[in-house]
Amino acid sequence: MERPELPLQQLHAFVVLAEELHFGHAAARLGIAQPPLSQQIRRLEGKVGHALFSREPGRVGLTPAGRELLPAARRALADLADGLAAARAVGSGRTGRLRIGFAASLALTVLPGLLRTFRHRFPGVHLDIHEMTSAPQIAALHDRTIDVGLLREPPTDEPELGFRTVLSEPFVAVLPLAHPLAAQRTVHLAQLADSPFVLLPRAVGPRFHDQIVGLCTAAGFTPRIAQHAVEWQTVCALVETGLGVSLAPAGIRRIRLKGVAYRRITPDTARTRVAVAWRENDQNPLVGHLLATVSHERPDSHDRPDGLPAAAPGSRS
Amino acid sequence: MERPELPLQQLHAFVVLAEELHFGHAAARLGIAQPPLSQQIRRLEGKVGHALFSREPGRVGLTPAGRELLPAARRALADLADGLAAARAVGSGRTGRLRIGFAASLALTVLPGLLRTFRHRFPGVHLDIHEMTSAPQIAALHDRTIDVGLLREPPTDEPELGFRTVLSEPFVAVLPLAHPLAAQRTVHLAQLADSPFVLLPRAVGPRFHDQIVGLCTAAGFTPRIAQHAVEWQTVCALVETGLGVSLAPAGIRRIRLKGVAYRRITPDTARTRVAVAWRENDQNPLVGHLLATVSHERPDSHDRPDGLPAAAPGSRS
DNA sequence: ACGCTCCATACGCCTAGAGATATCAGGTCA
DNA sequence: TGACCTGATATCTCTAGGCGTATGGAGCGT
């Protein structure tokens, strides 16, 4: 692919003239006077090296060389027009693809509404939704495998990434119905000291895990972990079978099981933060759009935690 | 298709930079300094309205908008390069299509050699060969249905067309072997006065037909036409069956039939001219090439008859 | 801290070319 | 023959932009 020799404007003039086969009309369609058009065509012919039109008095016609060039010129112009439109659509965020990672438990709370709102505001955008736990989300953001993550307890030492709290959820105790504490309306954390725990593995969400353990420690005991399970559904099911109790974000109360009770926790200062995460330097305007959607989605719960909420990504100085 | 907004040169720079992802290298590949390249890209981004590259220190990458534009730009550049090459090939006559009409009898004489030579000199050219009689050839030339005709006895009143004699053939008498004149080596035209004639219909080639009748008239008799046939093969076959005699260009001696004798004619000044015909104003360089080939093909029989052999078509002032 | 790499900026020069107006030349038709 | 249409030419203006050199400034490695 060498240095292009044919100015696009001349090609446009060429195509129009090829359609009109009349210098005056073509010039009118191009919005210019006739002599400039003659010049354009002449210049173009000069660069091609051959006549493109036969001008016999009375009628203008394409030469074989012109007939050969015409479809290529048409395609090129159409391609560019389409490409430009597509690039603008993507650039402005009306179109494109956004890859979102989310923690499974959020499928019960923030995710559905967020997706619905976003799809409504940006119907041209294709959303790739990937269920994944917190740590892989951070890795995937760095890998550029996803563009946005929805996770619990965002880390504080990720300079490349931005975070914004979306939701601050209280904890609930997850108890078998048969458990004595299930009779109470609220449960004090210290009351769980003697029960075995069913929890997510630490690797799934280290900070979230540590937070739970920290809450217990603050309440004066070290939780005895009887069993790990990677999904909240499983955790609840195991609790139902009497294997132990658990602490979970309030949102998982949507998992309704006959033998399980969810009880408010005291002190109720214990809360998990659900956050969106993104690459701070991401050019994709859709990331900014998603963040804006998140803000509009729940304008109530602004915590403004860590991560500079500075300039929305996509805007360049 | 509106007025194109993206200069091709900038698109070229864009594509190269998208491949190199390094301003310095891309500039080197383009043969320019680095700052101009930065400008080009900046200008292009300005026209698109969005950043096409993300310049994080250390690495240059495409933005989603850039990724969207890239294939379109590639296609456009490739299309134009191909189209330009094709147009130049056609314009210079290295490539293209040439539609040739020819009288059936010439398939026995000039046509094969002409085609062979032309194909050898211009292997990239596609030849469309159409067998057709003289009058339709003239019409087809005007219609632009064919580009070149090969016919007998070119007309003299066709201002739009050019003609050049290719071959000047003597006449022969076509006789049944049983005919008394078949015993002679040469036949005087007047000797045919009493025999019925088998000829082509006048409509097939009016001037050729008139020439034959004229020859007879000059020899002192009016030929009695017993039968018409549209092809020389048929004429000879009819002669063989004894239906009559005929006068034909010497070339048709290639049609060998057991019961037919071909005899030279006196006076031997009687000759048919085979001519090429073309549109005088034809832009197609292949027409000029064909005429040149005709000239080289038989540099012996130049008669330089009518039709201006002036400037070869395809050359414009 | 220094230098190196890499990209952006700032000027300045200069040509290509897009546009306009005025005019000419060939052809057609009344 | 003279109006008229159509395209080509001549000339002028103006500016977009392509390219260069010089320089700035951020990151990174030694």
Side-chain angles (χ1 to χ4, degrees):
Chain A
M1 194 134 45
E2 273 320 297
R3 162 171 296 213
E5 322 172 52
L6 309 181
L8 271 189
Q9 209 173 0
Q10 291 174 13
L11 285 168
H12 186 214
F14 165 65
V15 170
V16 170
L17 180 57
E19 286 167 358
E20 298 288 338
L21 292 180
H22 185 291
F23 279 75
H25 299 168
R29 231 180 85 184
L30 290 166
I32 62 176
Q34 169 260 317
L37 176 59
S38 284
Q39 287 182 25
Q40 304 244 33
I41 299 300
R42 171 160 299 284
R43 267 194 281 270
L44 185 62
E45 288 177 327
K47 293 186 181 160
V48 172
H50 303 280
L52 298 172
F53 292 96
S54 63
R55 295 93 151 158
E56 310 154 35
R59 86 140 139 286
V60 175
L62 278 169
T63 62
R67 247 187 302 279
E68 202 64 27
L69 186 60
L70 180 58
R74 272 219 180 85
R75 269 200 305 276
L77 289 173
D79 268 342
L80 284 185
D82 292 352
L84 179 59
R88 283 182 173 154
V90 168
S92 67
R94 293 194 306 280
T95 273
R97 196 173 65 121
L98 191 64
R99 298 161 303 175
I100 302 177
F102 70 98
S105 64
L106 303 183
L108 301 171
T109 56
V110 292
L111 191 67
L114 177 60
L115 293 186
R116 190 154 26 83
T117 309
F118 190 86
R119 285 217 174 91
H120 179 253
R121 290 182 56 188
F122 303 100
V125 176
H126 180 77
L127 294 178
D128 282 347
I129 311 295
H130 302 279
E131 196 245 286
M132 54 205 303
T133 53
S134 295
Q137 281 188 46
I138 301 297
L141 282 167
H142 282 123
D143 290 358
R144 304 171 171 265
T145 304
I146 62 173
D147 303 306
V148 170
L150 282 171
L151 42 77
R152 289 187 188 279
E153 294 305 309
T156 54
D157 56 346
E158 289 286 349
E160 306 266 308
L161 304 182
F163 297 94
R164 186 187 298 164
T165 297
V166 168
L167 178 64
S168 182
E169 272 186 300
F171 276 97
V172 292
V174 187
L175 308 169
L177 259 189
H179 195 285
L181 293 174
Q184 306 176 200
R185 286 193 46 121
T186 36
V187 172
H188 193 280
L189 263 181
Q191 294 180 292
L192 297 173
D194 296 328
S195 304
F197 272 73
V198 181
L199 289 180
L200 301 190
R202 182 168 187 278
V204 157
R207 285 166 310 282
F208 178 68
H209 189 273
D210 293 351
Q211 187 188 21
I212 289 180
V213 174
L215 288 175
C216 297
T217 307
F221 70 99
T222 302
R224 180 165 50 88
I225 298 171
Q227 181 66 44
H228 283 306
V230 290
E231 301 197 5
W232 286 108
Q233 274 87 347
T234 316
V235 169
C236 295
L238 293 177
V239 168
E240 186 179 32
T241 66
L243 216 76
V245 302
S246 191
L247 282 174
I252 60 101
R253 275 188 292 204
R254 298 263 183 100
I255 303 174
R256 305 206 157 273
L257 292 178
K258 275 184 306 196
V260 173
Y262 303 100
R263 293 294 176 260
R264 293 235 305 276
I265 280 292
T266 56
D268 67 350
T269 54
R271 289 172 164 262
T272 10
R273 291 172 306 172
V274 174
V276 273
W278 68 94
R279 279 183 299 280
E280 200 80 69
N281 64 6
D282 199 320
Q283 301 288 314
N284 194 335
L286 294 179
V287 174
H289 288 168
L290 189 93
L291 295 180
T293 303
V294 164
S295 303
H296 292 135
E297 179 74 347
R298 27 191 60 263
D300 36 296
S301 57
H302 272 175
D303 268 13
R304 185 89 12 148
D306 34 16
L308 326 175
S315 62
R316 307 182 60 255
S317 55
Chain B
M1 196 134 44
E2 271 321 296
R3 160 170 299 213
E5 322 172 50
L6 309 181
L8 271 190
Q9 210 171 2
Q10 292 174 11
L11 286 169
H12 186 214
F14 165 65
V15 169
V16 170
L17 180 57
E19 285 167 359
E20 299 288 338
L21 292 181
H22 186 291
F23 279 75
H25 299 168
R29 231 181 84 184
L30 290 166
I32 63 176
Q34 169 260 316
L37 176 59
S38 285
Q39 289 181 24
Q40 305 243 33
I41 299 299
R42 171 159 298 283
R43 267 194 280 270
L44 185 62
E45 288 177 327
K47 292 186 182 161
V48 172
H50 303 279
L52 298 172
F53 292 96
S54 63
R55 296 93 149 157
E56 310 154 35
R59 86 140 138 286
V60 175
L62 279 169
T63 62
R67 248 188 301 281
E68 202 65 26
L69 185 59
L70 180 58
R74 272 220 181 85
R75 269 200 304 277
L77 289 172
D79 268 341
L80 284 185
D82 292 353
L84 179 58
R88 282 181 174 154
V90 168
S92 68
R94 293 194 306 282
T95 273
R97 196 171 66 120
L98 191 65
R99 298 161 303 177
I100 303 177
F102 70 99
S105 64
L106 302 183
L108 301 171
T109 55
V110 292
L111 191 66
L114 177 61
L115 293 187
R116 191 153 26 82
T117 309
F118 190 85
R119 287 218 173 91
H120 179 253
R121 291 182 55 187
F122 304 99
V125 176
H126 180 77
L127 294 178
D128 282 347
I129 311 295
H130 301 279
E131 196 243 285
M132 55 206 302
T133 53
S134 296
Q137 283 189 45
I138 301 298
L141 282 167
H142 282 123
D143 289 357
R144 305 170 171 264
T145 305
I146 62 173
D147 303 306
V148 170
L150 280 171
L151 43 76
R152 291 187 186 278
E153 294 305 310
T156 54
D157 55 347
E158 290 286 347
E160 306 266 310
L161 304 182
F163 297 93
R164 186 187 299 164
T165 297
V166 168
L167 177 66
S168 181
E169 272 186 300
F171 277 97
V172 292
V174 186
L175 307 168
L177 258 189
H179 195 285
L181 292 175
Q184 306 177 202
R185 284 193 46 118
T186 38
V187 171
H188 193 281
L189 261 181
Q191 294 179 290
L192 297 172
D194 296 330
S195 303
F197 272 72
V198 180
L199 288 181
L200 301 191
R202 183 171 186 277
V204 159
R207 286 166 309 282
F208 177 69
H209 188 273
D210 292 350
Q211 188 188 19
I212 290 181
V213 174
L215 289 174
C216 296
T217 307
F221 69 98
T222 301
R224 180 164 51 87
I225 297 171
Q227 181 66 44
H228 285 304
V230 290
E231 300 196 6
W232 286 108
Q233 274 87 347
T234 314
V235 169
C236 294
L238 293 177
V239 168
E240 186 178 30
T241 65
L243 217 76
V245 302
S246 191
L247 281 174
I252 60 99
R253 276 189 292 202
R254 297 263 183 100
I255 303 174
R256 305 206 157 272
L257 293 177
K258 276 184 305 196
V260 172
Y262 302 100
R263 293 294 178 261
R264 293 234 306 276
I265 280 293
T266 55
D268 65 353
T269 54
R271 290 173 164 260
T272 14
R273 290 171 308 171
V274 174
V276 274
W278 69 92
R279 279 183 299 280
E280 201 80 69
N281 64 4
D282 199 319
Q283 301 288 313
N284 195 335
L286 294 178
V287 174
H289 288 167
L290 188 94
L291 295 180
T293 304
V294 165
S295 301
H296 292 135
E297 180 73 348
R298 28 190 61 267
D300 36 296
S301 56
H302 274 174
D303 267 13
R304 188 83 15 142
D306 35 14
L308 325 176
S315 62
R316 307 183 60 255
S317 55

